Amino acid sequence: MATPQSSPEEEEETTPVSGDPPPPKTPVTRSCAQQPCLGPEEIRRALADTLHGHPWVLSADERSIERSFRAKNWAAAMQFFTAVSEIAETAKHHPDLHLTQWRDVRVVLSTHAAGGLTKLDIDLAVAIDAVPVDYSPAWLRDQASSTTEDDEAPAAFDAAYYANGLNGDFLVDDTTALTETFAGTLSEGGGGKFEDPEQRDIARAKDEIVAAMQKHAGLREGSVIVDVGAGTGLLLPALAKAVGPTGRVLASELSPAFREVLELRKRDPRWGLLDGANVEILSGDGIDEKNPGLPEDVVAANTLDCALLTDVYHHLVFPRTVLRRLRDAMARDATLVVIDFHRDSKRVTSHEPDWVYAHVRADQATFTKEIESVGFVQIADVDVPGLPENYFLVFRKRPLPVAAAGVPGAGWAV
């Protein structure tokens, strides 16, 4: 079920049909077509201030915001729609309303005539949030528990394939062979397995990956981004260039050998990779399989704008725990980018047919469900040129209901 956005012409006052009672007097708002679109920084301020504690999520193209929930039943969903319709008529600005599975509600706000978000949408969002909602109790409980710390069991994986554990091969004591295999050698300026375009699509498409992040994940000058599982530093230079001197690129890496490579590249210009002052190699003291080791100032101030996991998610032993750590440090409109293999031998042709089923523990749908279960919502599935074997998913941090007197739904926490 959907009600389309009104055209600019429909925003004018109407004349009642003869015999009908006159409509109630309502304030006439400025025409939608006359509303200026909010800029990126204005949108961020609106989310952080006006919509702080509200359940709205910014779209990937930053032209709309949306809110979704599960109502207790059909009648509860219809009551909400009726109330929203009355508010929209009064404001002379109309949202897109969607109903699926008889009680799953989705509301999208955008000023179509202006081609993006305007103050009308922010004001209407606040007004809509004043409408009481009879939520599904089970849905509320699930949402409220998304960020609750628990004793997560290790992810299941193919023990025969990963004889030393999901990350054991990267945690060896003798790091020379490991470094040369994946990072290459100093005399060759790198060029190991992780960085060889002939062996790895990610290396061949690194510029396209960063461009897709700029277009779909809000990566911009001044952003604070963490590359989780940064490996040998393949993407760090391009990320550093994208965020500029006012941004920060945090490299989180579990493997001591790869951290050594990152530190070497940071201080030795002969590698020609990490000479930017805005790249920070995170200390291994705070990094383990449950913690990406983010700096305390980023966590305390919620200044993380984006987290990137490139061919890394399938190596997370405690994925939900790591994601909660990332979410705790994120800004109101922060994004999470996950690039991983399609678990489909017909799509992954660079290896033997059965390789991907042993190497990657689950498929895209399963990983998406895991990620969304801890306070994220998928906002984009991007087709990146040069990545035929990988998907590129963008998630955004999602506000979650908080409890008052033990009853979820008293408000929303970001």
Side-chain angles (χ1 to χ4, degrees):
M1 173 180 177
T3 60
Q5 174 93 21
S6 297
S7 65
E9 292 80 8
E10 294 173 326
E11 298 297 337
E12 303 300 327
E13 289 188 294
T14 58
T15 301
V17 177
S18 178
D20 289 341
K25 290 189 177 297
T26 57
V28 179
T29 61
R30 188 178 178 185
S31 168
C32 291
Q34 295 176 323
Q35 288 285 335
C37 283
L38 300 176
E41 289 306 314
E42 292 176 307
I43 292 172
R44 296 194 74 179
R45 285 198 300 270
L47 288 168
D49 298 334
T50 308
L51 295 182
H52 183 81
H54 291 257
W56 297 88
V57 174
L58 183 65
S59 65
D61 61 9
E62 300 188 355
R63 294 182 180 181
S64 64
I65 53 176
E66 69 175 67
R67 172 188 175 184
S68 59
F69 62 86
R70 176 165 293 173
K72 184 176 182 180
N73 49 39
W74 166 275
M78 290 299 101
Q79 288 171 1
F80 174 78
F81 279 164
T82 299
V84 170
S85 297
E86 293 175 354
I87 292 172
E89 284 295 293
T90 299
K92 296 188 179 299
H93 185 52
H94 302 84
D96 289 345
L97 303 177
H98 304 265
L99 180 67
T100 56
Q101 298 296 314
W102 60 271
R103 59 174 178 161
D104 288 341
V105 173
R106 179 168 166 257
V107 185
V108 182
L109 291 175
S110 179
T111 304
H112 294 186
L117 279 169
T118 69
K119 187 175 183 299
L120 287 177
D121 301 304
I122 305 302
D123 292 343
L124 189 55
V126 173
I128 289 173
D129 287 348
V131 175
V133 178
D134 196 0
Y135 296 103
S136 159
W139 180 85
L140 271 182
R141 286 194 299 271
D142 289 344
Q143 301 302 306
S145 64
S146 295
T147 57
T148 302
E149 292 291 337
D150 56 22
D151 294 326
E152 182 183 6
F157 57 88
D158 188 328
Y161 179 84
Y162 287 106
N164 299 315
L166 279 173
N167 299 296
D169 291 344
F170 301 125
L171 302 175
V172 295
D173 294 329
D174 182 4
T175 62
T176 302
L178 180 70
T179 300
E180 291 183 357
T181 297
F182 290 97
T185 62
L186 178 59
S187 61
E188 297 172 349
K193 182 177 179 180
F194 276 176
E195 299 166 8
D196 184 354
E198 297 300 320
Q199 297 186 65
R200 194 182 185 207
D201 288 346
I202 297 294
R204 186 164 54 250
K206 60 183 180 181
D207 292 335
E208 288 82 356
I209 289 172
V210 175
M213 294 180 66
Q214 291 174 308
K215 183 176 181 180
H216 301 282
L219 184 67
R220 55 174 58 93
E221 187 170 349
S223 292
V224 178
I225 178 172
V226 60
D227 186 356
V228 180
T232 59
L234 172 69
L235 296 174
L236 297 182
L239 292 173
K241 182 178 179 180
V243 304
T246 60
R248 295 172 70 181
V249 178
L250 312 174
S252 172
E253 176 51 54
L254 179 67
S255 167
F258 291 157
R259 285 201 302 273
E260 288 181 12
V261 171
L262 294 174
E263 291 289 356
L264 179 62
R265 289 184 164 177
K266 176 74 175 175
R267 65 177 180 265
D268 193 328
R270 286 179 295 173
W271 284 94
L273 289 176
L274 301 181
D275 56 354
N278 58 351
V279 176
E280 304 171 36
I281 314 303
L282 301 184
S283 170
D285 294 340
I287 300 174
D288 57 39
E289 291 182 328
K290 291 186 175 183
N291 195 337
L294 297 174
E296 291 183 4
D297 66 304
V298 173
V299 177
N302 297 110
T303 55
L304 182 64
D305 296 306
C306 183
L308 171 65
L309 289 86
T310 306
D311 282 354
V312 167
Y313 190 86
H314 65 267
H315 278 285
L316 297 182
V317 179
F318 301 97
R320 291 182 177 87
T321 302
V322 170
L323 292 175
R324 287 186 178 110
R325 295 276 194 274
L326 293 172
R327 190 184 183 282
D328 285 346
M330 284 182 162
R332 170 69 169 83
D333 61 336
T335 55
L336 169 72
V337 175
V338 175
I339 304 171
D340 220 310
F341 286 104
H342 290 285
R343 199 169 189 261
D344 182 350
S345 60
K346 294 179 180 179
R347 302 192 67 163
V348 180
T349 59
S350 60
H351 295 76
E352 294 298 318
D354 291 337
W355 172 86
V356 73
Y357 300 113
H359 188 75
V360 181
R361 65 177 175 83
D363 60 12
Q364 177 180 339
T366 300
F367 285 169
T368 298
K369 186 176 181 180
E370 289 178 359
I371 294 166
E372 291 193 328
S373 74
V374 289
F376 293 92
V377 60
Q378 182 180 323
I379 60 171
D381 184 345
V382 184
D383 183 13
V384 178
L387 290 183
E389 299 184 344
N390 298 82
Y391 50 83
F392 182 114
L393 303 180
V394 184
F395 300 83
R396 200 178 292 281
K397 180 181 180 180
R398 178 167 51 87
L400 298 170
V402 296
V407 180
W412 300 85
V414 294

